[in-house]
Amino acid sequence: NLTTNNHLRHMESMKSLPSGAGKIPELNAVILGESLASEEHDLVFPSHDFSKQALVTSPQKYLEMYKRSIEDPAGFWSDIASQFYWKKKWSQQVYSENLDVTKGNIKIEWFKSGITNICYNCLDKIIESGNGDKVALHWEGNEPDVDDSLTYKQLLEKVCQLANFLKQNGVKKGDTVIIYLPMLMELPITMLACARIGAVHSVVFAGYSSESLFQRIMDCKPKIVVTCNAVKRGKKVLNLKDIVDAALLESSQNGVSVDSCLTYENESAMKKEDTKWQKGRDIWWQDVVPKCSTTCDVEWVDAEDPLFLLYTSGSTGKPKGVLHTTGGYMIYTATTFKYAFDYKDSDIYWCTADCGWITGHSYVTYGPLLNGATVILYEGVPNYPDSGRCWEIVDKYKVTIFYTAPTLVRSLMRDGNEYVTRYSRKSLRVLGSVGEPINPSAWRWFFNVVGDSRCPISDTWWQTETGGFMITPLPGAFPQKPGSATFPFFGVQPVIVDEKGKEIEGECSGYLCVKNSWPGAFRTLYGDHERYETTYFKPFPGYYFSGDGCSRDKNGYHWLTGRVDDVINVSGHRIGTAEVESALVSHPQCAEAAVVGVEHEVKGQGIYAFVTLVEGVPYSEDLRKSLVNVVRTQIGAFAAPDRIHWAPSLPKTRSGKIMRRILRKIASRQLDELGDISTLADPSVVDQLIELADS
Ligand code: 6R9
């Protein structure tokens, strides 16, 4: 797969780079053909044919563009922004920022005083350019023979109808709408309808429990909740309306009552008549929305007006409402999508993420539609009816760009190659990965088996907070290393710092931070700007701190090593250990809990919980089940602990702090690496825990 010709061609192009390009230190190494040559076995080169047609054809082209984006961010980004529709152009200053806590409040603004609308740019603008009859969304149902599609024109009509309904029901610019929907077309439709009228959407992943939904309702006090009665995922039917009902009941008892609950009848999963109903509050989507007008004027908003809120886990129990604004987010998601997937008008794009996560916001809905792409939405699970479903879908729609998560790659890899090779997959040209580091063996399987060694893999590192890709390969531009997210996107300056916050140059590892702002950066945590500053800007003054560890090799490639805070990454989903702990201790028989992440073959990380019971309560299998269950109902099934470890007591320092370092070692059975335990208040606790490890 690593053809020598390609290699030589790349080496040649690297040597002819302009001398000034070498000024950016972390990229120096790409230019040093010799050092790359000595490591050829680690490198995967794009084919000549691919590079020739790519948007960025060579390392020097990438470096030229990158260099300009860093040296002249205002010029670089305003050239791009000018390709979008603005009712009124932004003022002279393209951006302003203060990322240094010692210099006052953290503040980021891009294209301030520019007036635009992201829904207009996603739909009306595409239609005006003559692409109104192009398919915007292909929807594939849970059952293989159920599907639907909408062209850009049809999508706009649906969005306008809902936007009109929302307006008639009192939703105004700046109001919040909570969306609790599975992967139906109504999910992006609702997001876009909110954006059209300047309302702020907050999508809650439809796998979250009623308790989690309740918390989010309390925090952002939505005018309306949009949901559906039920959904089928594989063979299971999930009754979503019941979950919403419970959350709405609890929030009204706590002083936040939501006037309306717009409910889509998802007929294939549940009939109207089987759905529980609260008269006066609940409204069937199908009864009201289709009656609304199919045109709706756009609410023009400032580039810095909020677009959406998305809750994510942090190191404390309370989820953080990450707030993104309109203009910068629009420019950033559109541009990252285009370059990181080498997007062409003829592409058919499928991202397996749910719109309940940031990936579904930026790279199912906004980024692709802003580019006028045809997007696949899939309602079901990847292994239903069997593990070949993804490739069946790829062949059915002739998918050219397939973007997914390492956990899915690993689970399909485990199920065997026959499920893959049974399908042609010859339409595929670019693959993508997101959510956690992709281990080199999964990378190689994805590359060799799924992509027939033909498709570059964009391993995109980014976060809910960053809005879009930060470190990512650009297909065709430079060689890849399996497992490395490679180099920064245009305008992004990643730095690796040591414990003291000092930048480290060259080959190194440490904490991953970002210098300066980029258009897609989040602007605050909803209602808690102080937490925003404390969590992200105080740890290393002057930088945005990502919470991830990272190393950089001698060629300048970046290797993400995972979270360095108390956040666990399970199947690409961020889960705060504190959230799981507070769910566990809410169980009447649980006195104390400490949760750590352990390596998991498919999920990346699994949840391992040490639990101390209330005095006198005996351990039992039933109790274990009921503890796991309490996490399911408080957070959601995806956060259920894989393992409960009975702990008569927990290892604590004399000041009472739980020593998680030791718990991690016990959980992963690295018992000879416990390190110094002499600072524990009672070191014998450790022996007790080890004894109980396999009981
Ligand atoms: C987009 C998304 C963010 C955290 C992030 C990091 C991990 C995501 C990654 C990756 C290594 C990649 N992460 N992509 N780690 N390589 N390509 O997943 O957002 O849910 O906020 O999670 O996910 O640890 O800090 P989010």
Side-chain angles (χ1 to χ4, degrees):
N1 313 324
L2 311 176
T3 61
T4 315
N5 277 347
N6 284 332
H7 182 181
L8 288 176
R9 186 180 54 79
H10 263 275
M11 292 299 111
E12 279 313 304
S13 70
M14 285 169 182
K15 278 176 190 149
S16 59
L17 280 169
S19 54
K23 284 208 184 106
I24 300 157
E26 71 265 35
L27 295 174
N28 263 342
V30 190
I31 318 165
L32 301 175
E34 303 88 83
S35 65
L36 282 177
S38 65
E39 277 198 333
E40 194 187 343
H41 61 283
D42 276 325
L43 292 164
V44 178
F45 290 86
S47 73
H48 182 56
D49 286 347
F50 193 103
S51 293
K52 215 170 54 185
Q53 61 79 61
L55 290 173
V56 182
T57 48
S58 65
Q60 73 259 52
K61 185 88 205 250
Y62 161 69
L63 272 175
E64 274 167 41
M65 291 177 75
Y66 181 74
K67 193 168 171 280
R68 168 153 192 247
S69 74
I70 298 304
E71 289 172 358
D72 175 22
F76 181 88
W77 288 112
S78 61
D79 282 356
I80 292 177
S82 303
Q83 296 156 27
F84 292 78
Y85 181 80
W86 297 83
K87 184 84 185 158
K88 183 180 146 250
K89 232 189 124 182
W90 54 94
S91 58
Q92 280 294 301
Q93 202 178 7
V94 174
Y95 70 98
S96 64
E97 62 185 15
N98 173 37
L99 307 186
D100 190 341
V101 275
T102 63
K103 295 183 181 150
N105 283 349
I106 304 295
K107 189 167 184 193
I108 301 171
E109 288 179 337
W110 282 82
F111 311 109
K112 177 80 186 158
S113 78
I115 305 290
T116 189
N117 182 291
I118 195 171
C119 173
Y120 185 89
N121 275 286
C122 285
L123 304 176
D124 309 59
K125 180 170 173 281
I126 305 296
I127 296 166
E128 278 154 27
S129 71
N131 285 314
D133 294 321
K134 183 175 177 180
V135 172
L137 302 175
H138 274 301
W139 178 78
E140 169 84 359
N142 184 59
E143 305 302 325
D145 51 351
V146 179
D147 56 33
D148 199 356
S149 68
L150 291 174
T151 64
Y152 271 86
K153 273 188 197 153
Q154 293 168 328
L155 178 59
L156 175 61
E157 290 181 2
K158 297 252 181 203
V159 167
C160 286
Q161 287 184 313
L162 181 63
N164 283 321
F165 170 81
L166 293 174
K167 279 206 292 197
Q168 283 158 25
N169 279 267
V171 180
K172 292 184 301 297
K173 182 182 170 198
D175 287 343
T176 307
V177 172
I178 280 200
I179 308 174
Y180 188 77
L181 280 170
M183 287 296 274
L184 303 173
M185 288 201 278
E186 283 63 28
L187 177 43
I189 288 172
T190 311
M191 294 163 74
L192 291 161
C194 290
R196 191 163 192 88
I197 61 171
V200 182
H201 59 71
S202 182
V203 184
V204 178
F205 171 61
Y208 272 110
S209 67
S210 64
E211 191 58 32
S212 297
L213 181 57
F214 155 71
Q215 271 183 13
R216 285 153 179 76
I217 293 172
M218 292 303 290
D219 194 65
C220 73
K221 305 181 181 59
K223 255 272 147 43
I224 178 166
V225 172
V226 182
T227 188
C228 71
N229 54 350
V231 65
K232 259 185 97 178
R233 287 178 54 78
K235 289 193 182 112
K236 271 191 267 175
V237 176
L238 304 173
N239 187 335
L240 300 183
K241 181 67 168 39
D242 275 0
I243 293 171
V244 175
D245 284 348
L248 288 176
L249 177 68
E250 200 178 349
S251 50
S252 70
Q253 287 163 350
N254 285 276
V256 173
S257 57
V258 179
D259 301 337
S260 349
C261 176
L262 182 66
T263 309
Y264 183 81
E265 183 194 8
N266 192 14
E267 215 185 341
S268 63
M270 183 185 272
K271 299 267 174 247
K272 251 183 174 173
E273 35 298 358
D274 300 327
T275 310
K276 281 197 207 111
W277 208 245
Q278 184 168 319
K279 270 216 172 118
R281 184 197 68 189
D282 300 345
I283 307 163
W284 284 115
W285 176 303
Q286 282 92 333
D287 287 352
V288 291
V289 179
K291 290 189 188 126
C292 295
S293 161
T294 53
T295 59
C296 173
D297 285 346
V298 165
E299 177 82 41
W300 299 106
V301 301
D302 190 282
E304 283 302 333
D305 278 338
L307 174 64
F308 68 85
L309 265 179
L310 184 60
Y311 288 88
T312 187
S313 296
S315 348
T316 72
K318 192 173 178 278
K320 305 183 279 198
V322 169
L323 185 109
H324 282 284
T325 56
T326 304
Y329 177 84
M330 172 168 87
I331 304 310
Y332 200 68
T333 52
T335 311
T336 46
F337 173 81
K338 173 173 157 186
Y339 286 103
F341 294 130
D342 185 46
Y343 175 73
K344 307 284 158 55
D345 282 339
S346 52
D347 278 315
I348 307 286
Y349 169 78
W350 182 23
C351 165
T352 63
D354 191 291
C355 287
W357 309 110
I358 190 68
T359 306
H361 282 64
S362 303
Y363 301 109
V364 174
T365 308
Y366 293 114
L369 296 179
L370 286 163
N371 281 279
T374 295
V375 179
I376 313 278
L377 287 186
Y378 174 44
E379 182 187 27
V381 290
N383 52 3
Y384 175 80
D386 66 32
S387 299
R389 184 69 186 275
C390 287
W391 322 120
E392 185 189 330
I393 296 173
V394 164
D395 280 0
K396 175 172 172 183
Y397 298 97
K398 310 244 168 343
V399 171
T400 58
I401 306 171
F402 177 70
Y403 185 36
T404 193
T407 182
L408 182 100
V409 174
R410 287 190 298 263
S411 86
L412 295 181
M413 177 172 142
R414 200 181 51 174
D415 294 342
N417 295 3
E418 310 77 62
Y419 286 110
V420 187
T421 53
R422 200 190 281 168
Y423 297 94
S424 135
R425 293 157 288 113
K426 68 172 190 293
S427 55
L428 289 174
R429 58 177 211 96
V430 176
L431 301 174
S433 170
V434 61
E436 55 169 313
I438 179 162
N439 45 310
S441 64
W443 195 102
R444 288 189 185 279
W445 184 82
F446 199 25
F447 182 78
N448 291 323
V449 180
V450 174
D452 285 327
S453 314
R454 179 185 69 238
C455 313
I457 299 180
S458 286
D459 173 6
T460 59
W461 176 81
W462 61 297
Q463 309 176 293
T464 305
E465 294 86 341
T466 69
F469 304 152
M470 298 295 279
I471 302 181
T472 177
L474 302 181
F478 41 73
Q480 298 194 254
K481 295 190 184 192
S484 164
T486 71
F487 299 108
F489 190 73
F490 305 131
V492 175
Q493 282 180 280
V495 294
I496 297 177
V497 303
D498 64 15
E499 254 115 80
K500 297 199 181 78
K502 201 168 114 9
E503 269 183 54
I504 340 176
E505 307 276 336
E507 207 180 332
C508 64
S509 65
Y511 301 99
L512 181 60
C513 291
V514 185
K515 216 197 263 189
N516 303 336
S517 77
W518 61 97
F522 68 139
R523 307 299 200 245
T524 191
L525 291 179
Y526 183 68
D528 201 348
H529 199 70
E530 198 182 325
R531 187 175 180 197
Y532 171 75
E533 296 181 333
T534 314
T535 312
Y536 300 100
F537 298 94
K538 283 207 178 129
F540 302 108
Y543 304 107
Y544 163 75
F545 173 48
S546 67
D548 278 359
C550 182
S551 61
R552 190 166 43 209
D553 68 19
K554 63 174 182 291
N555 305 126
Y557 284 69
H558 291 81
W559 300 79
L560 278 300
T561 52
R563 302 289 309 189
V564 293
D565 54 8
D566 290 325
V567 171
I568 308 179
N569 190 326
V570 181
S571 302
H573 300 155
R574 270 161 76 167
I575 297 167
T577 51
E579 277 174 76
V580 182
E581 287 162 6
S582 78
L584 287 168
V585 297
S586 74
H587 190 288
Q589 286 164 323
C590 175
E592 199 168 19
V595 167
V596 296
V598 280
E599 212 172 288
H600 188 286
E601 201 194 331
V602 173
K603 297 197 249 183
Q605 279 192 301
I607 299 181
Y608 194 111
F610 292 88
V611 170
T612 306
L613 298 175
V614 167
E615 195 66 42
V617 173
Y619 306 127
S620 72
E621 178 55 17
D622 283 347
L623 184 52
R624 191 193 65 78
K625 282 191 188 139
S626 104
L627 282 162
V628 172
N629 218 26
V630 86
V631 181
R632 285 173 179 271
T633 52
Q634 297 261 321
I635 306 176
F638 64 92
D642 296 277
R643 184 65 213 273
I644 302 275
H645 186 135
W646 305 118
S649 46
L650 293 167
K652 289 181 186 162
T653 60
R654 283 184 200 97
S655 60
K657 218 169 138 32
I658 296 174
M659 285 187 80
R660 284 163 200 282
R661 172 178 63 79
I662 294 174
L663 293 178
R664 274 188 213 108
K665 294 292 176 196
I666 297 175
S668 58
R669 305 292 187 268
Q670 292 166 297
L671 301 178
D672 46 354
E673 290 173 30
L674 291 174
D676 182 13
I677 58 167
S678 64
T679 54
L680 289 176
D682 176 8
S684 73
V685 168
V686 175
D687 289 333
Q688 264 183 346
L689 284 178
I690 294 172
E691 248 169 64
L692 284 165
D694 294 303
S695 64

